[in-house]
Amino acid sequence: ESFKQGKQRYYIYKDAMKEGNISSLSLQNELYHALDKDQFEIWYQPQIDTVSSKVEGMEALIRWNHDTFGIISPSQFIPIAEETRWIIPIGTWVIRQVCQDLVTWLREGLSYKVSLNISYVQMEDEMFLTKVKEILEETGCPPHLLVFEITENMLMKDLALSLNVINELKILGIEIAVDDFGVGYSSLSYLKQFKLDCLKIDRSFVTHIHKDINDYAIVQAVTEMSQSMGLKVIAEGVESIEHVHLLQRLGCEHFQGYWYSKPVRKELLPEKIQTIHREKFISSQ
Ligand code: C2E
Ligand code: MG
Ligand code: MG
Ligand code: MG
């Protein structure tokens, strides 16, 4: 019942946004207070390794739980947070929250890799690396379980800055994934100068892979070349068993998408992971 209400509120909100009733200015004001009001939540989306048939980790995705509008998706407020640079404190909150969750799971005997999204504005912040170090110390989070996702476009924006920040993060022991790979214009050989661990193939190439020969060819090329470069590849936006089979045929072994699970609140994660193990692995062989 309460879920229904939340959903309903969400649609009212979306309609209002479409009609321009909620001005982006009032959203801005509210966003400014959201951190103090403790309205942000981290939802987690499982990432699957089909070789070991296991949930190997998850991506942390922020949600804004607004007191009247319900759950607001990041695509609606992250751009505002970036423009206003509030993404800096919000992003710090995300890193701390994820580190705390990771340590909690470790205490329960569960070891997962958790990736989180970093905005370009955070990378530009000269205090960024200091804050990351402080959070690692304060939470006791093992850095090798953390993956920072940086979009391909961010890497190209300022080469010297990205190289420096990535090097420093690698020294701390944090892994780096290139998010939304394929939508920018960088070549894999360009990426060679960064110390990367993982490429995430953008959802837009995966969605039509079963009917678009070009998308199929792109995913094939990216998978082959990244493997020869020693990079792990994760396919994003995997929504069907056809997707899984085609991607596996191309040599892709790591998956994230609605076929396995949507992002969920952390309370629901154990049950979700069990369901994936029970229902998804036999059929995907
Ligand atoms: P992203 O990092 O590329 O995250 C993947 C997005 O694709 C998520 O949307 C996820 O829910 C969605 N997705 C995953 N699998 C599927 C699928 O099979 N089908 C479809 N249709 N969608 C799928 P979400 O959670 O709405 O996040 C959108 C974007 O917002 C993220 O894209 C990321 O760029 C940004 N974002 C999310 N959390 C944060 C954060 O903490 N900090 C920053 N800076 N950005 C964030
Ligand atoms: Mg991401
Ligand atoms: Mg992505
Ligand atoms: Mg994306």
Side-chain angles (χ1 to χ4, degrees):
E1 187 57 39
S2 70
F3 171 73
K4 247 186 181 164
Q5 273 172 7
K7 208 165 174 181
Q8 209 166 0
R9 280 199 311 230
Y10 177 69
Y11 284 116
I12 292 167
Y13 168 75
K14 279 219 307 205
D15 290 347
M17 281 287 280
K18 253 188 261 156
E19 289 157 20
N21 293 346
I22 299 172
S23 69
S24 82
L25 198 67
S26 76
L27 200 65
Q28 254 190 48
N29 286 332
E30 303 211 43
L31 189 60
Y32 185 75
H33 300 289
L35 206 51
D36 288 338
K37 287 186 172 174
D38 204 19
Q39 289 180 333
F40 292 116
E41 294 175 8
I42 303 290
W43 290 28
Y44 289 97
Q45 185 177 33
Q47 295 174 328
I48 279 80
D49 174 358
T50 50
V51 174
S52 62
S53 288
K54 273 193 179 130
V55 172
E56 57 179 338
M58 36 247 174
E59 178 171 7
L61 295 154
I62 195 171
R63 300 288 182 267
W64 178 7
N65 194 352
H66 189 281
D67 37 17
T68 44
F69 305 132
I71 300 294
I72 304 178
S73 90
S75 48
Q76 287 180 288
F77 66 85
I78 291 289
I80 301 174
E82 287 178 336
E83 263 169 55
T84 54
R85 296 173 61 82
W86 293 329
I87 192 68
I88 293 176
I90 295 171
T92 305
W93 178 85
V94 170
I95 300 171
R96 181 175 291 112
Q97 188 60 54
V98 166
C99 287
Q100 284 169 354
D101 288 344
L102 225 156
V103 168
T104 305
W105 292 324
L106 277 177
R107 290 207 188 100
E108 293 165 2
L110 302 166
S111 175
Y112 293 114
K113 276 221 158 122
V114 184
S115 43
L116 56 88
N117 297 280
I118 298 292
S119 157
Y120 187 75
V121 182
Q122 288 174 272
M123 288 216 321
E124 279 180 325
D125 171 19
E126 52 189 24
M127 290 303 287
F128 177 62
L129 291 163
T130 311
K131 284 177 204 157
V132 173
K133 273 182 230 168
E134 276 171 12
I135 294 170
L136 289 176
E137 278 168 27
E138 168 196 319
T139 58
C141 178
H144 69 276
L145 291 178
L146 279 180
V147 183
F148 281 10
E149 296 191 4
I150 295 168
T151 65
E152 181 191 3
N153 287 328
M154 271 165 67
L155 292 182
M156 308 211 303
K157 219 166 169 174
D158 183 339
L159 181 64
L161 174 74
S162 328
L163 272 175
N164 178 51
V165 173
I166 288 175
N167 278 338
E168 295 292 329
L169 290 171
K170 291 292 294 179
I171 290 169
L172 290 178
I174 294 170
E175 292 195 356
I176 307 294
V178 179
D179 204 356
D180 304 344
F181 185 75
V183 294
Y185 297 95
S186 61
S187 63
L188 283 171
S189 59
Y190 176 90
L191 290 184
K192 230 165 53 179
Q193 56 195 314
F194 299 97
K195 292 186 179 121
L196 305 172
D197 299 284
C198 174
L199 284 189
K200 299 187 77 177
I201 300 180
D202 192 65
R203 172 154 58 93
S204 60
F205 300 105
V206 173
T207 305
H208 302 298
I209 192 169
H210 53 296
K211 49 185 186 200
D212 186 324
I213 188 77
N214 294 318
D215 287 348
Y216 185 88
I218 290 167
V219 173
Q220 182 169 36
V222 170
T223 308
E224 281 173 6
M225 286 180 71
S226 21
Q227 277 164 354
S228 70
M229 285 167 63
L231 292 174
K232 172 175 162 181
V233 178
I234 300 184
E236 291 190 308
V238 175
E239 290 187 351
S240 67
I241 189 70
E242 283 109 302
H243 285 162
V244 175
H245 285 154
L246 274 174
L247 288 158
Q248 280 181 323
R249 201 192 295 163
L250 295 179
C252 194
E253 293 157 347
H254 305 272
F255 300 93
Q256 183 181 342
Y258 290 179
W259 169 250
Y260 292 101
S261 172
K262 289 189 172 182
V264 294
R265 284 198 165 97
K266 69 179 165 220
E267 295 75 26
L268 296 178
L269 204 51
E271 196 191 315
K272 199 77 218 184
I273 291 173
Q274 272 195 342
T275 309
I276 294 173
H277 280 127
R278 199 172 53 236
E279 292 175 0
K280 297 296 179 185
F281 287 132
I282 307 137
S283 57
S284 67
Q285 293 309 301

